Amino acid sequence: MRALRSELLKFRRWSVLAGAGVMIAASAGISYLTFHQITSGATGRELTELIAAFPTTLGLLAVIGQARSLIIVVTLIMVTANVAAEWSQGTLRNLLIREPRRLRLLMGKMAALLLFVTVSGLLTLLVSAALVIGAARSQGISTAAWTSAEAARASLGFAFNEVLCLIGISILGMLIAVLTRSTGAAVGVALAYVVVPEGLVAMVWLDASKWLPVRAFNYLPGSIMPAGIGPTPPQGYGAALILALVWMAGFAAVSAVVFRRHDVVA
Amino acid sequence: MVLDPMTSSGTPAITTTGLSKRFGHRNAVDGLTITIPSGAIAGFVGPNGAGKTTTIRMLLGLVRPSAGGATILGRPLSDPKSYLPRVGALVDAPALYPSLSGRTNLEVLAQLSGLPRSRVADVLESVELTDRAKDPAGRYSHGMKQRLGLAMALLPDPELLIVDEPASGLDPLGIIQLRDLLRRLRDQGKTIFMSSHLLGELERVADWLVVLNQGRSLFCGPASGLLVEGANLEATFLGMLRGDR
């Protein structure tokens, strides 16, 4: 608890708040643009599924879900940079002198970060949803389907799975930071990982890509989305959930072993 | 002041036995065996790369020794959680969160140690940073950052203070204040283990000296045992490195 409370004090930094602000503003912007595209009569193959889903109970989720890739990337950068900065700034040595139980320190730090990521992720979804609902009402578009009991259940499921996805992404960010121990390298590797290895595997061997971690995390909220918007887990939700949990446990275990044993020379 | 490594408590503040650290093929610290008595200001002297910082990092549990062991405040090096709550440290340049205020930087560590907030105000006052406590640490001058680093080290009201180049970046007045602070702490019964390149300064304050070169101890004992017949530390140190002693 001490490590958690100590970590929460650090969220007063403008860089941390700016990360959350960017995520909220950019996601709301993307959601609004998607809404605008649909309602302005734009056409195109990539919009077909969205236009079909728009008036249904999953219409709102389909619109605000368009910003999910951005949320994943911003979360990954925020967590990776935050953890790796302890090495780059040399502040890790101060922390370890005051809390030599390394796993306790890492758990406290990650608990605070996960709390922050969860709150900012949910806030992002809420702001985006409020903006789209407000825009729809101002244009006289019915939002009854989006605010129905069925839509509320779907939204809760989506929010739960989105949080799970962001937790997985955060644990991946922690692993990259612990392995690289430098802010620049950690952020670079994190972004490169999402784009290059996962992207390459998806291009050359689509069937294998369904087992990769970022995809597995992304399948969880994607499973709530209308078919065709997804990404729907090809292995089924249960298998995707187990896979995501296994990746999280694996990343956490490797991070813990490395963090516990590594010499702090920064 | 006559010092004996075995003090009234019967326990030296630091004892190392064959302490070694190897990075790849390089021995940073090589079979270091030293004793620092409780209640002393012990100077830790050596050229760049002699292994001072690595030794300090090992004592603080940041770096694992390759061989050997140590006892700090009567507790084994292998169990840092048993002695670190009683140790304050400043390693290398002070590491700060630049966008957080000086006060919040200290609160982060106080919270982590379970110390009361009043302790933050106390240490800010002792390093004369109270007036600038609300300013972001990134805007501090080099000397102020150094003082904030010292405040971090003093936060747990430590029995043992391990400081690496504490006078680095301080102006002459700051150095005088640091000297007074160290003497005050010693008078309170605390032990100070301090590496420094400012040999003249060490000569003024140190009761005990450890001279290190290429990871090995060339001398460990009372300062009076090294500085005989009016010789100054600088000349003695250079002579030791040349192998005259």
Side-chain angles (χ1 to χ4, degrees):
Chain A
M1 282 306 283
R2 282 181 192 167
L4 168 65
R5 284 199 296 263
S6 165
E7 193 61 32
L8 290 175
L9 282 172
K10 296 185 210 164
F11 291 152
R12 294 178 190 176
R13 284 179 290 182
W14 69 266
S15 55
V16 178
L17 300 175
V22 164
M23 188 158 89
I24 292 169
S27 299
I30 290 172
S31 299
Y32 180 77
L33 285 176
T34 306
F35 167 82
H36 180 71
Q37 267 190 311
I38 295 169
T39 54
S40 63
T43 54
R45 231 173 45 189
E46 70 282 0
L47 282 176
T48 310
E49 303 287 351
L50 273 174
I51 292 167
F54 189 72
T56 71
T57 52
L58 294 177
L60 179 62
L61 290 181
V63 172
I64 65 174
Q66 295 307 301
R68 281 187 35 246
S69 297
L70 178 89
I71 296 175
I72 286 175
V73 169
V74 174
T75 299
L76 186 61
I77 292 173
M78 274 200 304
V79 173
T80 308
N82 189 300
V83 178
E86 300 288 6
W87 276 272
S88 292
Q89 293 175 158
T91 42
L92 183 63
R93 59 179 186 259
N94 297 341
L95 302 178
L96 285 175
I97 290 167
R98 298 277 55 95
E99 177 48 279
R101 289 165 290 199
R102 294 188 176 198
L103 291 187
R104 202 174 278 204
L105 179 70
L106 187 63
M107 281 193 293
K109 184 169 185 62
M110 282 310 293
L113 280 171
L114 292 179
L115 188 65
F116 182 78
V117 161
T118 300
V119 169
S120 43
L122 291 177
L123 202 57
T124 301
L125 296 178
L126 280 174
V127 169
S128 300
L131 183 71
V132 171
I133 289 173
R137 286 184 177 163
S138 72
Q139 293 179 28
I141 297 169
S142 168
T143 58
W146 300 349
T147 52
S148 65
E150 193 186 336
R153 272 195 301 276
S155 298
L156 282 178
F158 177 77
F160 172 77
N161 283 288
E162 179 71 7
V163 167
L164 263 185
C165 169
L166 295 182
I167 289 173
I169 292 293
S170 301
I171 297 174
L172 171 63
M174 169 180 71
L175 174 66
I176 292 171
V178 166
L179 292 177
T180 56
R181 298 185 292 278
S182 146
T183 311
V187 172
V189 167
L191 289 177
Y193 172 73
V194 173
V195 176
V196 183
E198 293 228 0
L200 276 179
V201 172
M203 276 196 291
V204 299
W205 192 9
L206 186 61
D207 197 41
S209 70
K210 69 183 179 192
W211 305 108
L212 297 175
V214 174
R215 275 171 194 267
F217 301 146
N218 203 10
Y219 285 146
L220 301 179
S223 65
I224 309 292
M225 291 288 191
I229 296 176
T232 308
Q235 62 270 63
Y237 177 77
L241 177 63
I242 291 169
L243 177 64
L245 293 175
V246 167
W247 276 119
M248 288 183 213
F251 291 162
V254 175
S255 302
V257 169
V258 173
F259 187 70
R260 194 158 175 263
R261 298 192 59 82
H262 209 277
D263 286 342
V264 177
V265 292
Chain B
M1 184 176 179
V2 179
L3 283 169
D4 186 316
M6 300 302 284
T7 60
S8 54
S9 65
T11 312
I14 301 172
T15 305
T16 72
T17 311
L19 192 64
S20 303
K21 181 63 187 181
R22 177 179 273 273
F23 291 113
H25 294 295
R26 188 175 66 85
N27 280 325
V29 178
D30 189 6
L32 186 68
T33 300
I34 59 171
T35 300
I36 308 296
S38 293
I41 297 179
F44 196 25
V45 190
N48 287 338
K52 301 187 297 294
T53 300
T54 302
T55 302
I56 285 174
R57 285 178 186 272
M58 283 194 281
L59 296 176
L60 295 170
L62 299 173
V63 168
R64 283 164 183 263
S66 307
T71 306
I72 296 101
L73 300 174
R75 303 299 183 126
L77 182 67
S78 55
D79 187 17
K81 68 177 184 300
S82 67
Y83 62 83
L84 281 180
R86 296 185 287 150
V87 175
L90 170 62
V91 188
D92 279 342
L96 313 167
Y97 300 103
S99 56
L100 291 181
S101 70
R103 182 185 300 278
T104 309
N105 266 279
L106 289 166
E107 283 173 351
V108 166
L109 297 179
Q111 187 71 258
L112 192 56
S113 311
L115 298 168
R117 283 196 169 188
S118 60
R119 190 67 202 139
V120 170
D122 292 346
V123 292
L124 278 168
E125 182 141 0
S126 68
V127 298
E128 298 181 10
L129 274 179
T130 307
D131 292 348
R132 299 288 304 274
K134 288 182 182 169
D135 294 354
R139 286 194 206 149
Y140 285 6
S141 68
H142 192 73
M144 288 168 69
K145 286 178 182 168
Q146 196 70 11
R147 281 191 276 153
L148 184 60
L150 273 172
M152 289 174 166
L154 294 172
L155 203 54
D157 192 17
E159 288 172 46
L160 169 64
L161 186 64
I162 299 178
V163 281
D164 195 6
E165 297 291 344
S168 170
L170 295 182
D171 58 20
L173 181 62
I175 291 176
I176 292 167
Q177 288 169 337
L178 173 68
R179 190 192 306 150
D180 291 344
L181 175 68
L182 295 177
R183 284 178 175 153
R184 241 181 7 253
L185 293 170
R186 179 190 53 195
D187 293 345
Q188 291 168 13
K190 300 180 192 306
T191 309
I192 295 130
F193 185 45
M194 172 174 74
S195 85
S196 179
H197 289 304
L198 300 178
L199 299 182
E201 204 46 45
L202 273 185
E203 198 174 336
R204 282 167 177 251
V205 296
D207 317 303
W208 193 268
L209 285 171
V210 176
V211 182
L212 197 66
N213 191 32
Q214 295 179 341
R216 295 180 183 177
S217 167
L218 299 182
F219 177 83
C220 176
S224 57
L226 186 66
L227 304 171
V228 289
E229 295 163 12
N232 66 36
L233 181 55
E234 188 177 303
T236 309
F237 174 65
L238 289 173
M240 290 180 93
L241 292 187
R242 283 198 304 265
D244 297 348
R245 286 187 56 149

